[in-house]
Amino acid sequence: MKKDTPIQILQLSKRSYNVLEKFNIITVQDLLTVSIEDIKNFKGIGKKSIQEILSKIELLKDHNFDNIDISEIEMKISKDKYFTNKFGEKYKDIPIEDLGLSEESKNFLKELGIEYYSELLTKGDEEFELPEYLENTVQKEIKSIRRDLNIEVPINIRGDISINYLRLSARAKNCLKIANIKYCSQLFYKTKEELKAIKQMGGKTLKELQRFKFLIFFYFGIPANIEDKESEEEKISKESVDFLKKVAKILNCNTEKLISNISDHYFSFVQYTDLTEENDYNYITENIVSLLWWKNSYGKEKWLKYIIRQISKNIYGIEEDVLWESIPEILKDKKIYKKTIEYLCESNLIKKLYDDRFVIVYKSVKEEVYNYLTENEANIFLNRISGKTLEEIGDTLEITRERVRQIEAKGLKKLSFGKFKEDFFKDIYLKYDVNKESFLVALKEEETYNYLSLRYRNELNQVKNKRKPLQELLEDEEIPAIIRRAFEKFVYKDYITFDKERILVGRASFTNYIIKHFANDGMSYIEFKEMYDMFLTELGYEKEESLKIVDRSYENRIRDDMNVLWKPKKKFRYYNILGYDFSDFLETLNLSQYKNEEYSSLKFFKMYPDLMKMYDIRDEYELHNLLKKICTVDKYLEIKFGRMPSIEFGKADREQQVKELLSLLSPISKQDFINEYEDFYGVDSKTFAANYLSYIDEYNCSGIYDITFEEYDDSIFLELKDILSEELYTVQEVKEKIEKTFPNYKKEFLNPILLKKLGYKISGGYIVKSQYDSASSYFYQFLQKNEIVKLDDISSKIKSLPMFTSQIYRLKYVYEIIEFSPNKFVNFSKLKKLGITKDDLKQYCSDVLEFIGKDKYFTTFSLKKNGFYHELDELGFDDYFYTSILIEDKNRISYRRIGKNKLMYSNGEGANFEDFLERIVYKQEKLYIEVYDLNDLLRDEYNIVLDVHDVISSVKSTSMFYDPISKIVFADYEIYYEVI
C-alpha cells in the first residue's frame, strides 16, 4: 500500500468516511498526519466514528504499505482525480462527461484535450477563445460553466452564505429547500448519493449542484463545516428578530427572507469591521442594519422601493423634509437617507421639481409608445395627440374613420398598463373644470392635453358633473404653487381692478360689489338699479347688453342672496350671512318647541333683544328674512315662512288660535286683548285690530269680550288637579294634557275660571301658580334660589322656555347673575358677601375702557397680555367671568362671538370681525401677512382660536385680497400686484 492511497481502502462506515471527506482527509497520508485531538474536535463526529477511525489509524501504523495488494481498489478508483486549489486544498475533480454538457460541447472540449472541469476553469480568456464556427448554443453552454460564481453580494464564503445568494436554477433551489439545505456549507458537504436521494432531484439538477460545489471549492475554498445549522431566528437574538420583523412589515417584504439575507450578511460583514467590539455579536441593531442596506441587494432593493412608494403616494411629489418625517424612527439614518436620495436621483428614478418636491421620473408617452403599441397603432396615436382628427388620419392612411377609431381604441387599451410623464396632470384634468383653453393658457402643452382627453375620456364622462370650479384649484395646496400660479392667469383673465379690488366682469359680481360697499345701512331696489347703471358707466361697460339689468326677476335674485336681508317696500341691507355661526342663535330661539301655531317674528325680536343686537338684526323683518334663509327645509320641515313677518309652525288655525287665547283671558277689554295677543304671539297691534278682531265679534259686548263657560262637576276638577302638579306650564302643555285626559273636551274647556279654581293663572303665554305675580316672577325666584346656578342641572323643559332665557338676559344685564364659565352663573348675593358692589363692576368696565381707548378691539386675554390689572382680578375667576361683566355694558361695549371667545369693541355699536382683521393687516409694516401667521396672531394675542379656513372665509368677505397660492392676506389687490 502506498501513502497516497485513497481512504476508501479502509472500508470505513459511511458516517466516518463522510466526516473525513468533509475535512479534506482524502488519502492514507492525510489520515496519518492529522492529530487525534483534531479528529475528536471534528464537528458532527460521534463517539463510534472516533473509535472506528482511531482503530484504523492504529492498524495502518503496523502495516508495510508497499506489500499490500491494492490493485482491485486502484482499479475501482483509478478514474478519480483530485485538484488542489489556490488555498492548497484538495477536492475531487469533475470529468467533462459529468458536467451535464451536450455532446457537441463535450466533443469540442475533448478536441482541445480538456478532460476535467479544473482544466476548463484554469484556462485564461486569452487562451480560450471560442471559434466563430461553433453554434451559438455550444458557445453559450461553455461560457456559462466557465463563469465565476458571481454571488449577489461580496461575502466571505468561509463565513457561510444562504443559498438565496447562489446563482442556481429555480429547480435546484427548490430541491435544496425540500432537503432543508439553507446554506452553502450544507450543500458542499452533501455527497453525490445524498443529493441524488432528494425528492424531485433530476440528473441535470444533480450535475448543476455538483458543478456548483466544485466552483465554490475552486474560487473560495472549502467552507467551514457547521453541522446542524441553526435557523435564522436561532442564529441571532430575539430582540434582533423582533426588530427585523418590524422592518420587514414597514418595507412590505418577506420576513424570513429579510432575516436570512441581513443575518447572513451581518455575520460575514462583521468579520472585517469593528462593529462587534461594543456590541453583542448576535445582536443586530438599528445602527447596523441601516448600514447593511447598501451591502445587501435584497434589503437595498426593498428599501429603495419603500422610498419610491413614499414619494409616489402624493400625486405631485413630496418635499424632502416631509419625506424624511414619513420614515419610521427605526429606519431613520441621515447618512443612508442621503445616499438613497443621491442614488435615486443619479439613477434618474426621481428628481426634484416644483416647490422642491421629489417626484417619480416617468418617460414621455412619445418616447415609450413604441414599447406598448404596434407601429400602426403608435403612428395613429401620435397623430391624434398632435391634434389630427380621425377623418384626417383616415384620409392619409386611406382607411375609414371607423377603422382609425378601432385601432385607436385598441392602442389606448394597451397604454392603460403604462404610466407616463403626461399623467402628472391627470388629477387636475379629472378633478377641476379644466378645458383646452385654460390648459393651454396655463401650461402651453397641447399634446399633453390631447393625450389626457384621449386616454381618460371614459373617466372624464363619469366625473364631468362633479368637477370643481377652476378657481378652487388655486387653493389646492397639494398642487405645486408654480402650476397653480400658471392657472391663476386663466382664472383671473376676466377680472378688472376697481378701487384696489379685483372684480370679475359680470352682472353678479358687480351686484355683489355694490351691495357690499353701498348697502350697509340699507337701500331700495330702485336706488340699487340707479347705482348699478352708474357703476357700469364708470367702468365703461354701459353699452354691454349682457351686463345690463333689464329682467324684472333680478329683484328676486337679490332677495334670495345670502349677503342680503330683505325688507318690505323692496328695501334691503348688506348682511354677510355666511360669515356668522348661527348655532347658538338657533339654539336660543328653539323654534322646534312651537306646534301648530302662528307667530310674528316680532315676538322673537322683542323676546331676545340682546341676541338680536349680538347678531346685528335690526327689526322683525330682517329676522324673518334671516330665518327663512338659515332654517332650511331639511332641518325645519314644519316651519313655513308666510308674508313678512308671519311664521307658521305646523298646521296653524288663526281663527281658532285667537278664540283659544280669548277663552283664557275672558272677560277682557278690546284694547287689553289686542295688547295681550301682541305680547303672546308678537302680532303688531295695528295688524291685529285690522285683520284678526273679526274672528271674535260674537263675544263683543260694549267693548268687552266675554265668553260664557260651562260648569264642570267636582270629579272633572279633581282629575284636573291630579294632572296639574307643577308650578309652571306652557299653555300648549296644559292643552295637550287635557286633550289626553278628556279626548272629547271643547276648546273652551281651559278658561280663567277653571284655572283660578285650580290655583293657577295665565301670564305671558304661561300658566303659573297663583302665588307668583307673573311667569317672569317665577323665573326670577327660580334663578335666585342658589348662589351658583348651573344650567346643566336644570331640566331641558325649563331651559327651552323663551321666558326663562329672557329672564337670564335681564338678570345678566343688571348684574344679578354673572356667567363665570359656560352655562354656570354666580349670583350677585355671593359677590356681595365678598364686599363687591354693582358699582365696582361698572367701575371695572370704565377702567377697562380708559385703558383700551375709544374704538379699539380687545379680549380679556389681550387686556392682561398688555398689562391691564384690576383689583377684581383678586377674585380669582377665569377670563370668562370678566368678559361677562364687560359685555353687559352695552352702551359702551359691543362684541362678537368668535370661536369660543368674545371679541369686544370699545364702542356700543360696530363690533365686526372682518373690520378687526382689516385693522390687523393694515398694521403690518408691508401691509400683508401670511394667513397662518394671522391665525397664530389671533391665538397668541387675543386667545381667539379658529380653523384657518374660517379666517380665510372672513378675509374674503372684506375688501382685502387673499392669495390662495402664497397663502398671504394683502391689504388690497394693488399691494398683492406689487408683491406677487
Side-chain angles (χ1 to χ4, degrees):
M1 179 189 294
K2 296 178 182 179
K3 287 187 177 181
D4 61 355
T5 301
I7 59 172
Q8 285 98 323
I9 196 174
L10 301 178
Q11 298 182 355
L12 293 162
S13 66
K14 186 175 181 180
R15 184 174 182 81
S16 297
Y17 175 77
N18 286 341
V19 170
L20 292 174
E21 188 180 38
K22 286 174 184 177
F23 287 91
N24 205 27
I25 298 172
I26 299 167
T27 66
V28 170
Q29 176 69 39
D30 295 333
L31 183 58
L32 290 173
T33 55
V34 71
S35 69
I36 295 173
E37 192 63 31
D38 286 340
I39 292 172
K40 288 181 178 179
N41 289 329
F42 287 164
K43 288 188 178 180
I45 194 168
K47 289 181 180 180
K48 287 184 178 181
S49 294
I50 292 172
Q51 291 172 0
E52 182 185 11
I53 292 168
L54 292 178
S55 66
K56 295 291 183 183
I57 290 173
E58 290 301 319
L59 287 172
L60 288 172
K61 287 178 181 179
D62 296 334
H63 279 287
N64 180 354
F65 290 100
D66 292 329
N67 296 328
I68 296 177
D69 182 8
I70 60 168
S71 59
E72 185 178 341
I73 295 174
E74 284 183 343
M75 284 181 64
K76 184 177 180 181
I77 63 171
S78 60
K79 289 185 179 181
D80 289 346
K81 179 183 176 182
Y82 289 84
F83 175 75
T84 303
N85 64 14
K86 59 187 176 182
F87 305 104
E89 301 165 330
K90 291 181 180 180
Y91 191 71
K92 189 193 297 184
D93 211 337
I94 305 176
I96 292 300
E97 289 81 3
D98 294 339
L99 289 176
L101 297 170
S102 64
E103 288 299 321
E104 291 85 351
S105 296
K106 284 190 286 188
N107 291 336
F108 172 73
L109 292 175
K110 285 178 181 178
E111 287 175 11
L112 297 178
I114 297 173
E115 297 183 358
Y116 287 90
Y117 197 14
S118 61
E119 296 171 10
L120 181 60
L121 297 174
T122 51
K123 285 187 178 293
D125 291 339
E126 68 283 351
E127 303 177 68
F128 197 81
E129 291 186 7
L130 294 170
E132 294 183 2
Y133 65 80
L134 275 183
E135 293 181 13
N136 285 336
T137 53
V138 175
Q139 290 194 38
K140 288 180 181 179
E141 194 172 35
I142 294 175
K143 282 181 180 179
S144 70
I145 65 169
R146 282 196 78 243
R147 69 182 182 182
D148 62 23
L149 281 172
N150 194 21
I151 293 175
E152 295 175 356
V153 292
I155 201 83
N156 175 14
I157 201 70
R158 295 175 186 273
D160 219 346
I161 181 172
S162 168
I163 63 166
N164 292 324
Y165 289 121
L166 305 183
R167 291 292 179 99
L168 295 170
S169 65
R171 185 176 182 84
K173 283 187 178 181
N174 288 335
C175 287
L176 295 177
K177 286 178 182 178
I178 290 171
N180 200 29
I181 297 173
K182 297 182 179 179
Y183 293 90
C184 178
S185 62
Q186 290 174 299
L187 168 61
F188 189 84
Y189 288 106
K190 289 291 181 186
T191 65
K192 183 177 181 180
E193 289 72 22
E194 287 174 323
L195 290 174
K196 192 175 182 179
I198 295 173
K199 191 177 180 182
Q200 297 183 12
M201 180 66 73
K204 188 176 179 181
T205 304
L206 179 62
K207 288 178 180 179
E208 178 188 359
L209 293 174
Q210 288 289 93
R211 187 171 70 242
F212 207 90
K213 284 169 62 179
F214 189 84
L215 285 173
I216 291 171
F217 160 79
F218 183 86
Y219 287 107
F220 297 101
I222 297 174
N225 179 31
I226 305 174
E227 284 291 335
D228 303 321
K229 175 74 75 172
E230 296 170 326
S231 71
E232 297 300 340
E233 297 191 13
E234 292 169 341
K235 189 177 173 186
I236 57 177
S237 67
K238 182 179 182 301
E239 291 82 359
S240 299
V241 171
D242 291 341
F243 169 70
L244 288 173
K245 283 181 177 178
K246 290 178 183 176
V247 172
K249 187 174 182 180
I250 294 168
L251 300 185
N252 192 28
C253 62
N254 183 281
T255 304
E256 292 181 1
K257 192 169 183 180
L258 182 68
I259 292 173
S260 171
N261 277 266
I262 296 300
S263 59
D264 276 340
H265 197 86
Y266 172 65
F267 287 110
S268 295
F269 182 67
V270 293
Q271 295 180 43
Y272 303 101
T273 67
D274 59 357
L275 289 174
T276 56
E277 289 182 5
E278 298 179 1
N279 294 298
D280 183 341
Y281 194 82
N282 289 330
Y283 186 70
I284 298 179
T285 65
E286 292 93 327
N287 293 331
I288 295 174
V289 80
S290 61
L291 295 174
L292 299 179
W293 295 142
W294 298 98
K295 305 292 182 181
N296 174 272
S297 62
Y298 183 76
K300 183 176 181 179
E301 175 195 349
K302 295 301 179 182
W303 166 248
L304 293 175
K305 285 184 177 179
Y306 168 77
I307 293 298
I308 288 173
R309 281 200 305 275
Q310 293 302 101
I311 295 173
S312 63
K313 282 180 181 178
N314 191 306
I315 299 167
Y316 307 106
I318 187 170
E319 294 173 6
E320 188 166 0
D321 57 339
V322 178
L323 175 60
W324 169 255
E325 289 303 320
S326 72
I327 299 171
E329 286 298 324
I330 63 171
L331 294 181
K332 279 186 175 178
D333 183 303
K334 278 287 185 184
K335 290 182 180 178
I336 298 301
Y337 174 73
K338 187 178 179 182
K339 281 185 181 180
T340 302
I341 296 301
E342 288 174 354
Y343 176 85
L344 290 172
C345 288
E346 288 169 5
S347 304
N348 202 32
L349 294 172
I350 67 171
K351 63 181 175 181
K352 192 176 275 191
L353 285 178
Y354 312 120
D355 304 345
D356 288 333
R357 302 188 197 192
F358 287 116
V359 295
I360 307 298
V361 173
Y362 297 102
K363 289 184 179 180
S364 166
V365 69
K366 292 176 73 174
E367 296 177 73
E368 291 281 282
V369 67
Y370 288 101
N371 294 329
Y372 288 83
L373 309 182
T374 65
E375 185 176 353
N376 192 33
E377 291 167 345
N379 289 335
I380 286 176
F381 175 79
L382 292 173
N383 273 302
R384 288 288 281 144
I385 67 172
S386 71
K388 290 189 176 181
T389 64
L390 297 173
E391 289 86 350
E392 289 171 338
I393 298 170
D395 291 342
T396 303
L397 299 178
E398 297 182 351
I399 57 176
T400 65
R401 176 188 181 280
E402 176 59 20
R403 182 58 187 146
V404 175
R405 188 198 63 76
Q406 290 172 356
I407 296 171
E408 176 192 283
K410 187 178 179 182
L412 287 172
K413 194 172 183 181
K414 292 179 183 178
L415 285 178
S416 66
F417 296 102
K419 191 163 186 179
F420 311 105
K421 175 184 171 184
E422 291 80 2
D423 291 311
F424 182 85
F425 298 103
K426 172 191 172 184
D427 183 66
I428 291 174
Y429 178 73
L430 295 177
K431 191 175 180 180
Y432 295 99
D433 190 14
V434 177
N435 57 27
K436 191 167 187 176
E437 181 189 1
S438 61
F439 201 88
L440 295 184
V441 168
L443 303 174
K444 300 178 176 60
E445 294 190 23
E446 184 175 1
E447 289 190 346
T448 297
Y449 182 85
N450 292 339
Y451 162 79
L452 294 171
S453 61
L454 278 176
R455 178 168 177 181
Y456 299 108
R457 183 165 44 206
N458 293 334
E459 289 91 330
L460 181 64
N461 289 334
Q462 293 172 10
V463 300
K464 201 160 190 175
N465 296 327
K466 299 176 184 177
R467 291 199 299 176
K468 298 178 181 179
L470 192 56
Q471 190 157 356
E472 291 187 23
L473 177 148
L474 305 184
E475 300 185 34
D476 191 337
E477 293 184 42
E478 290 186 4
I479 300 174
I482 191 172
I483 294 177
R484 287 184 282 154
R485 194 67 75 193
F487 275 100
E488 183 184 34
K489 297 173 188 175
F490 182 82
V491 169
Y492 291 120
K493 70 181 180 67
D494 294 325
Y495 279 68
I496 60 167
T497 303
F498 180 80
D499 195 22
K500 299 182 180 182
E501 282 192 50
R502 184 184 260 185
I503 311 170
L504 175 66
V505 175
R507 193 162 54 175
S509 302
F510 290 169
T511 296
N512 290 337
Y513 179 86
I514 292 170
I515 291 173
K516 178 179 174 182
H517 289 277
F518 302 105
N520 284 283
D521 293 319
M523 65 166 47
S524 69
Y525 182 68
I526 293 174
E527 290 170 335
F528 161 74
K529 282 195 68 177
E530 290 173 353
M531 187 169 288
Y532 184 90
D533 291 339
M534 290 170 59
F535 188 69
L536 287 185
T537 301
E538 187 171 352
L539 293 176
Y541 290 121
E542 67 273 15
K543 294 182 180 180
E544 284 286 339
E545 294 297 326
S546 62
L547 296 177
K548 292 180 180 179
I549 295 177
V550 293
D551 190 352
R552 292 183 180 180
S553 64
Y554 202 72
E555 178 185 326
N556 295 330
R557 180 255 178 223
I558 294 178
R559 182 188 287 114
D560 297 334
D561 195 295
M562 292 301 281
N563 284 320
V564 158
L565 290 181
W566 191 264
K567 301 184 182 188
K569 298 181 181 179
K570 299 184 179 181
K571 291 186 176 182
F572 59 88
R573 178 170 71 91
Y574 172 70
Y575 187 91
N576 182 18
I577 294 175
L578 299 178
Y580 283 87
D581 179 358
F582 289 104
S583 53
D584 288 343
F585 179 80
L586 292 171
E587 184 179 347
T588 301
L589 292 182
N590 190 22
L591 299 177
S592 58
Q593 67 181 302
Y594 301 102
K595 310 289 183 184
N596 301 323
E597 295 173 301
E598 181 188 51
Y599 285 84
S600 166
S601 56
L602 180 63
K603 164 80 172 179
F604 309 112
F605 182 78
K606 287 182 176 180
M607 191 184 298
Y608 304 105
D610 295 331
L611 189 69
M612 300 301 128
K613 187 172 183 180
M614 184 192 307
Y615 285 90
D616 190 26
I617 300 168
R618 301 176 185 178
D619 56 43
E620 67 269 31
Y621 303 109
E622 289 190 354
L623 176 61
H624 185 278
N625 191 240
L626 175 65
L627 290 174
K628 184 177 181 179
K629 289 175 178 176
I630 65 175
C631 294
T632 53
V633 176
D634 57 324
K635 292 182 180 179
Y636 295 90
L637 186 63
E638 296 297 316
I639 298 180
K640 298 173 186 174
F641 293 92
R643 187 175 180 181
M644 285 186 179
S646 176
I647 305 174
E648 182 180 359
F649 300 91
K651 294 182 179 179
D653 184 330
R654 181 184 292 178
E655 181 178 349
Q656 190 61 43
Q657 183 172 295
V658 173
K659 288 181 178 179
E660 285 185 12
L661 182 62
L662 179 61
S663 71
L664 289 171
L665 301 173
S666 175
I668 187 172
S669 69
K670 176 180 176 181
Q671 190 57 48
D672 285 347
F673 183 62
I674 291 172
N675 293 339
E676 285 288 344
Y677 198 91
E678 180 175 346
D679 185 48
F680 201 99
Y681 291 108
V683 178
D684 176 72
S685 56
K686 291 181 181 179
T687 301
F688 182 83
N691 302 299
Y692 290 61
L693 283 178
S694 58
Y695 297 136
I696 52 174
D697 281 345
E698 60 183 296
Y699 305 110
N700 186 3
C701 182
S702 302
I704 300 295
Y705 290 98
D706 192 8
I707 298 176
T708 303
F709 299 106
E710 230 178 284
E711 290 288 335
Y712 298 102
D713 58 39
D714 290 343
S715 62
I716 292 177
F717 170 76
L718 293 173
E719 203 164 348
L720 280 172
K721 200 169 185 179
D722 286 339
I723 65 172
L724 298 177
S725 57
E726 297 179 16
E727 294 185 323
L728 180 135
Y729 295 96
T730 65
V731 172
Q732 186 65 31
E733 276 184 293
V734 175
K735 286 180 181 177
E736 289 172 358
K737 284 179 176 290
I738 292 175
E739 187 174 21
K740 188 175 181 181
T741 308
F742 307 102
N744 299 318
Y745 86 105
K746 295 179 181 179
K747 297 296 182 183
E748 293 79 15
F749 189 99
L750 187 62
N751 59 73
I753 297 172
L754 182 61
L755 287 175
K756 186 175 182 180
K757 193 175 180 181
L758 290 167
Y760 288 91
K761 62 182 176 183
I762 185 78
S763 173
Y766 297 91
I767 293 174
V768 64
K769 279 286 188 178
S770 299
Q771 67 196 63
Y772 297 103
D773 293 336
S774 63
S776 178
S777 174
Y778 165 81
F779 288 119
Y780 177 84
Q781 293 182 43
F782 180 87
L783 290 168
Q784 291 287 319
K785 282 191 292 186
N786 301 311
E787 288 186 335
I788 301 295
V789 179
K790 298 180 180 179
L791 294 190
D792 292 342
D793 295 340
I794 298 174
S795 70
S796 56
K797 171 194 167 183
I798 295 293
K799 286 190 293 187
S800 66
L801 298 175
M803 189 171 285
F804 175 78
T805 306
S806 296
Q807 190 63 268
I808 284 181
Y809 278 120
R810 291 191 191 101
L811 293 176
K812 284 165 63 179
Y813 180 64
V814 295
Y815 293 133
E816 282 296 325
I817 59 174
I818 301 168
E819 195 168 9
F820 64 89
S821 185
N823 294 327
K824 293 179 182 177
F825 300 84
V826 57
N827 259 304
F828 179 73
S829 59
K830 184 173 179 64
L831 297 179
K832 193 174 181 180
K833 291 177 183 178
L834 299 173
I836 306 297
T837 67
K838 290 185 179 180
D839 287 337
D840 293 333
L841 303 181
K842 294 174 183 177
Q843 186 59 46
Y844 174 78
C845 296
S846 297
D847 292 344
V848 166
L849 290 172
E850 184 179 350
F851 178 83
I852 201 73
K854 183 72 172 174
D855 296 335
K856 298 290 178 62
Y857 287 98
F858 64 98
T859 63
T860 307
F861 179 86
S862 70
L863 279 175
K864 294 179 179 179
K865 188 174 178 67
N866 291 318
F868 178 77
Y869 173 79
H870 197 276
E871 59 185 13
L872 284 183
D873 291 338
E874 298 299 322
L875 293 174
F877 285 101
D878 291 337
D879 289 356
Y880 205 98
F881 172 80
Y882 302 99
T883 300
S884 297
I885 296 172
L886 291 167
I887 62 176
E888 295 306 328
D889 192 344
K890 301 181 187 303
N891 293 325
R892 297 189 293 174
I893 298 173
S894 55
Y895 75 96
R896 277 278 301 272
R897 188 190 300 274
I898 307 296
K900 293 184 178 181
N901 207 337
K902 294 181 177 73
L903 176 67
M904 293 172 279
Y905 181 56
S906 54
N907 192 315
E909 294 181 350
N912 183 289
F913 184 55
E914 289 74 19
D915 175 55
F916 171 58
L917 292 177
E918 286 194 26
R919 293 189 185 201
I920 291 175
V921 175
Y922 273 95
K923 281 183 181 179
Q924 306 304 307
E925 184 180 352
K926 295 182 178 179
L927 297 179
Y928 64 82
I929 183 174
E930 287 191 17
V931 72
Y932 291 103
D933 291 340
L934 176 59
N935 203 32
D936 290 344
L937 186 150
L938 293 174
R939 182 193 65 228
D940 298 339
E941 298 295 325
Y942 297 91
N943 195 29
I944 293 175
V945 181
L946 292 173
D947 185 277
V948 72
H949 294 98
D950 294 328
V951 177
I952 293 170
S953 177
S954 295
V955 167
K956 286 181 176 179
S957 65
T958 70
S959 59
M960 295 187 290
F961 183 81
Y962 172 67
D963 177 32
I965 299 173
S966 63
K967 302 293 178 186
I968 294 177
V969 179
F970 296 89
D972 55 49
Y973 179 71
E974 283 189 2
I975 302 297
Y976 156 79
Y977 189 79
E978 289 173 10
V979 174
I980 300 296

